Amino acid sequence: MAAALIRRLLAAFLAVALGWAALPAFAQAPLPVPALTARVIDQTGTLDAAQRAGLETKLAAFEQRKGSQIAVLMVPTTQPEDIESYTQRVGDAWKIGRKGVGDGLLVIVAKDDRRMRIAPAKALEGAVPDLAAARIVDEEMKPRFRNGDFAGGINAAVDRLILSLIHISEPTRPLY
């Protein structure tokens, strides 16, 4: 009887100890969404000023020409969330794209997690479906990132995205 009581107490102690050890993982607050202050936000310090400015210029020119908006966010990590959940929160907060049109596109790089995500708004899902976004990540970003060329990977991905979005038919206008 005493042995059974000791086993129960030991099991209860072990359960409490394991529960307390796991508590910090569950209690970790999600990464805050940064304020949208530019088309390219690098919280990792990876891109230098010239690289950021070049991307900004390219994205501004595309927005001026097409109207659609592309934003790039580099963060060290999205933990404790996965990149998909974090991207959704950023997209909900930033509302990239024209109001009423929903033609924005978000590129998220979680550098330390080695994760990337391209997330088009609803209106652009036909031009950049999940398969196309995955191919851009695999063919343009990953190889360059492996070689430490983060600016080159982001630029190549943005170039392919712009090409995809330019091919969306322009709204028709009356001829007269």
Side-chain angles (χ1 to χ4, degrees):
M1 180 109 155
L5 180 60
I6 291 173
R7 273 186 290 218
R8 282 190 203 149
L9 287 172
L10 190 55
F13 175 75
L14 184 61
V16 169
L18 289 175
W20 281 105
L23 189 59
F26 292 113
Q28 190 175 5
L31 185 68
V33 174
L36 179 60
T37 57
R39 289 176 182 87
V40 179
I41 298 174
D42 177 10
Q43 295 189 324
T44 64
T46 302
L47 304 175
D48 64 32
Q51 293 167 333
R52 277 192 320 276
L55 271 167
E56 284 279 342
T57 301
K58 182 186 298 189
L59 295 175
F62 172 70
E63 185 178 333
Q64 190 71 27
R65 175 180 175 193
K66 183 72 178 157
S68 299
Q69 295 176 328
I70 300 174
V72 177
L73 173 61
M74 289 186 72
V75 293
T77 182
T78 63
Q79 297 303 317
E81 294 177 288
D82 58 24
I83 195 164
E84 291 81 9
S85 299
Y86 182 71
T87 302
Q88 182 67 47
R89 283 195 312 114
V90 172
D92 290 345
W94 285 3
K95 299 183 184 344
I96 302 295
R98 292 174 288 184
K99 189 174 183 172
V101 179
D103 59 348
L105 195 137
L106 189 55
V107 178
I108 303 271
V109 176
K111 186 178 176 185
D112 296 346
D113 298 341
R114 304 180 81 176
R115 299 278 181 240
M116 296 133 278
R117 180 148 171 86
I118 297 171
K122 293 284 184 200
L124 298 181
E125 286 177 347
V128 186
D130 289 342
L131 182 59
R135 288 179 102 176
I136 292 169
V137 166
D138 289 343
E139 295 170 5
E140 306 298 345
M141 298 174 89
K142 283 183 181 179
R144 288 172 178 86
F145 285 11
R146 280 188 197 111
N147 293 325
D149 184 11
F150 288 91
I154 293 169
N155 265 300
V158 165
D159 289 343
R160 285 227 357 223
L161 290 166
I162 287 173
L163 281 175
S164 297
L165 298 176
I166 286 175
H167 295 312
I168 296 174
S169 61
E170 295 290 333
T172 57
R173 295 187 178 143
L175 296 175
Y176 49 94

